[in-house]
Amino acid sequence: MPRLRNKKKVPYIRPVVKKQASVNHVTGDKIPKSFVFSRGKLPGPLKQLEMDLRKLMLPYTALKLKEKKRNNVKDFLKVAGPMGVTHFLILSKTESAPYLRVARTPQGPTLTFKIHEYSLSADVAKSQLRPRCPQDLFRNAPLIVLSGFGSGEQHMKSTTVMFQNIFPAIDISTVKLSSCQRIVLLNYNKDTKLIDFRHYSIRLQPVGVSRRIRKFVQNHQAPDLRSLKDVSDFVTKAGYGSESEVDEEAATVTLASDLGRVNRASTKSAIKLQEIGPRMTLQLTKVEEGLCSGGILFSEYGGSGSSEKDKRQDNHENLEEEEDDEEDEDEDLEEQENDV
């Protein structure tokens, strides 16, 4: 007879998770949080765009949000309430183009954008000679800057309010400079009706300090002085002291407090922006009154009423959801047959 081994039962220990703040302790405002997910089947590049958008929305988003084919918007809405989620970013794909919906929970409104072009964060990094993405870059939410949205049109006002409220507000008098490491820029072109969506990292460089000296202070590494006769040659010799980048007066600021080992208070530092992606070119096509439903307040294809293109897009998404549900039922039947 086979011997029965007494397996030791390992108790389940619930992991201790640090509760994320829901209210800004300085301004007293509610911190907006988001879910980024998709509806329907997405190709590989769009799935990666979904992950890039999740990373962009850090730290107030679910980076490892698990999606199932059977989940619908109502399922995410049920979870959003207890978790304090205020916005949904939903990616979808039709036969004509991919779309991004930005919705306010729980009652809307919902803005639908057609994605004309997009570049992933990996593509942006490959195009740069020295890509920069430090580990602590996503510890704080990005700043938001809107340009060209003051056209006076009602649908553009809705777009402005939506994007302004999707990130936490800051108090200029109390904000820490060390927390301002990223910025999201949105520029609206009135002629083309397109929105350029860009994501940059912010870094400061002291004015008048050579690149060699700056790296020496930052990296804590002893320089190689074997080929030099005097320590002063490290700064004055051609090829060393001449490496300081050209500083533009318009791009410099005077710091109110110390920021790192190089940028000191009451000194001038140059602001450098480096794109980290993702990059998108968007067009606002529809504004709905509710959460992915309700009356249409604006439609690019035909006034305030629902157009044929809008109906075709909604029908296409509904068909995709029905196909996903049928696939889930087939998978459940297969699992039951295997169990039998």
Side-chain angles (χ1 to χ4, degrees):
M1 291 180 64
R3 295 181 180 180
L4 298 177
R5 296 181 180 179
N6 294 327
K7 292 185 178 180
K8 223 173 187 182
K9 292 185 178 181
V10 180
Y12 172 75
I13 301 176
R14 187 175 182 180
V16 179
V17 181
K18 187 177 180 181
K19 190 175 181 181
Q20 200 175 44
S22 58
V23 178
N24 192 323
H25 68 282
V26 177
T27 61
D29 299 331
K30 184 178 180 180
I31 297 178
K33 299 179 182 179
S34 62
F35 276 168
V36 182
F37 57 95
S38 61
R39 300 301 304 133
K41 296 180 181 179
L42 294 184
L46 277 178
K47 290 297 293 183
Q48 185 58 48
L49 179 63
E50 178 185 347
M51 294 305 300
D52 289 346
L53 287 175
R54 287 184 183 180
K55 200 170 182 180
L56 181 147
M57 299 301 296
L58 285 174
Y60 301 109
T61 191
L63 183 62
K64 298 181 180 180
L65 179 66
K66 294 183 179 180
E67 305 174 60
K68 294 183 179 179
K69 292 181 179 179
R70 67 188 69 184
N71 293 138
N72 52 33
V73 178
K74 292 182 180 179
D75 296 331
F76 291 101
L77 189 59
K78 290 179 182 178
V79 182
M83 297 185 66
V85 175
T86 58
H87 292 83
F88 285 169
L89 279 76
I90 310 171
L91 280 169
S92 60
K93 177 71 169 65
T94 65
E95 296 178 357
S96 59
Y99 286 84
L100 172 66
R101 283 180 287 180
V102 183
R104 173 91 182 186
T105 62
Q107 298 178 348
T110 303
L111 278 62
T112 302
F113 298 92
K114 181 179 180 180
I115 304 177
H116 285 263
E117 296 176 348
Y118 68 92
S119 298
L120 303 176
S121 298
D123 299 330
V124 175
K126 289 179 181 178
S127 65
Q128 298 173 351
L129 184 62
R130 296 185 181 89
R132 176 182 179 270
C133 190
Q135 295 181 353
D136 60 344
L137 190 62
F138 298 92
R139 289 183 179 178
N140 299 284
L143 308 177
I144 180 74
V145 175
L146 305 177
S147 175
F149 285 83
S151 61
E153 299 174 333
Q154 186 60 39
H155 62 279
M156 296 311 301
K157 291 181 180 178
S158 302
T159 307
T160 302
V161 172
M162 180 69 75
F163 280 113
Q164 283 179 340
N165 295 330
I166 205 171
F167 297 110
I170 62 171
D171 188 353
I172 299 178
S173 59
T174 58
V175 66
K176 294 182 180 180
L177 294 179
S178 58
S179 64
C180 303
Q181 297 187 358
R182 292 186 294 138
I183 185 170
V184 173
L185 300 179
L186 280 82
N187 179 63
Y188 176 67
N189 191 321
K190 298 180 182 179
D191 299 328
T192 61
K193 296 183 179 181
L194 297 179
I195 301 174
D196 293 323
F197 186 102
R198 300 290 186 270
H199 183 210
Y200 296 91
S201 66
I202 306 173
R203 59 192 178 101
L204 297 177
Q205 292 182 359
V207 176
V209 179
S210 67
R211 186 176 179 182
R212 287 282 179 176
I213 297 296
R214 187 172 65 248
K215 286 188 172 293
F216 168 66
V217 176
Q218 290 175 338
N219 300 335
H220 307 277
Q221 294 179 353
D224 186 4
L225 305 176
R226 289 177 297 179
S227 60
L228 304 178
K229 296 181 179 180
D230 192 83
V231 178
S232 60
D233 294 340
F234 180 73
V235 180
T236 59
K237 188 177 179 181
Y240 289 89
S242 60
E243 286 186 359
S244 60
E245 300 178 5
V246 179
D247 299 315
E248 298 179 5
E249 188 67 25
T252 60
V253 293
T254 302
L255 299 180
S257 59
D258 295 343
L259 186 61
R261 294 175 57 87
V262 180
N263 300 281
R264 313 300 294 181
S266 302
T267 61
K268 284 190 176 183
S269 296
I271 302 175
K272 305 291 181 180
L273 298 182
Q274 185 168 351
E275 189 173 4
I276 55 179
R279 177 193 301 181
M280 293 184 292
T281 302
L282 308 173
Q283 180 186 7
L284 180 64
T285 59
K286 185 170 58 175
V287 178
E288 295 173 277
E289 188 177 4
L291 182 64
C292 301
S293 62
I296 297 180
L297 304 177
F298 166 79
S299 176
E300 180 65 25
Y301 304 114
S304 60
S306 179
S307 66
E308 292 298 326
K309 290 187 178 181
D310 294 333
K311 292 178 181 178
R312 286 199 299 268
Q313 178 186 342
D314 295 336
N315 292 336
H316 182 78
E317 293 175 355
N318 293 333
L319 287 174
E320 286 182 343
E321 293 180 3
E322 291 176 1
E323 291 174 357
D324 292 338
D325 294 338
E326 292 177 358
E327 289 180 1
D328 295 332
E329 292 176 0
D330 295 339
E331 290 177 359
D332 294 338
L333 289 175
E334 289 178 1
E335 292 177 358
Q336 293 176 5
E337 292 175 356
N338 292 333
D339 294 338
V340 173

